């Protein structure tokens, strides 16, 4: 049992608009979308921040998350024009939910710097 709202989404205790699911990874639409397509791709195991990612332990999991992002971007019709993938980390990174999640954003021109 994890500690965040995302654990409840994984356990189907609260609803989410799920677009991809495997044994290790779940992806669903962000409740507060910042772009026409805004999907969160998360591991089913709880890793609080990207600081806890260990290459040796999590490389396969991270690889699957990037595969999922590419597959979902194609399904959503944003792959050709391009998109943005973001992990926020802790306070200065703007992280609100302490279960790592990759934001997949697309369907409009992204700006830089992100603010
Ligand atoms: P971050 O700031 O990087 O931790 O992003 C957290 C994102 O999670 C934020 O864009 C809003 C989204 N979010 C928070 N709670 C829920 C929820 O209950 N359902 C869904 N679908 N998204 C949520």
């Amino acid at each position: 049992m994890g500690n965040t709202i995302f654990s409840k989404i994984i356990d189907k205790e609260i609803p989410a608009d799920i677009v991809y699911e495997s044994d290790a990874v779940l992806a669903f639409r962000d409740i507060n979308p910042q772009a026409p397509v805004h999907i969160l791709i998360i591991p089913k195991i709880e890793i609080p921040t990207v600081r806890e990612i260990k290459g040796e332990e999590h490389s396969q999991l991270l690889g699957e998350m990037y595969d999922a992002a590419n597959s979902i971007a194609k399904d959503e019709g944003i792959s050709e024009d391009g998109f943005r993938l973001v992990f926020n980390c802790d306070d200065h990174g703007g992280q609100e939910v302490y279960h790592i999640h990759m934001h997949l954003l697309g369907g409009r021109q992204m700006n830089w710097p992100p603010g």
Side-chain angles (χ1 to χ4, degrees):
M1 179 69 188
N3 296 309
T4 76
I5 193 89
F6 290 174
S7 294
K8 293 192 170 63
I9 291 175
I10 292 165
D11 294 339
K12 311 283 164 61
E13 287 172 16
I14 65 166
D17 187 354
I18 292 170
V19 298
Y20 174 94
E21 181 162 19
S22 72
D23 287 347
V25 171
L26 188 70
F28 51 90
R29 294 187 198 282
D30 195 292
I31 204 166
N32 183 22
Q34 302 301 312
V37 176
H38 187 172
I39 289 165
L40 302 174
I41 300 157
I42 71 171
K44 288 189 174 177
I45 59 165
E46 188 176 77
I47 301 171
T49 80
V50 295
R51 278 194 298 255
E52 285 78 44
I53 292 173
K54 303 274 181 283
E56 207 175 314
E57 193 178 341
H58 299 126
S59 58
Q60 191 175 339
L61 181 62
L62 268 288
E64 189 186 328
M65 290 172 69
Y66 280 93
D67 283 349
N70 276 317
S71 168
I72 295 163
K74 281 195 189 119
D75 291 347
E76 295 287 324
I78 61 169
S79 186
E80 279 193 28
D81 285 341
F83 50 87
R84 183 169 289 175
L85 298 175
V86 178
F87 283 97
N88 295 324
C89 181
D90 216 331
D91 189 20
H92 278 195
Q95 185 175 4
E96 290 172 5
V97 180
Y98 282 76
H99 180 132
I100 61 161
H101 45 282
M102 179 193 280
H103 294 259
L104 167 61
L105 297 143
R108 67 166 171 84
Q109 180 62 54
M110 297 295 150
N111 301 311
W112 196 264

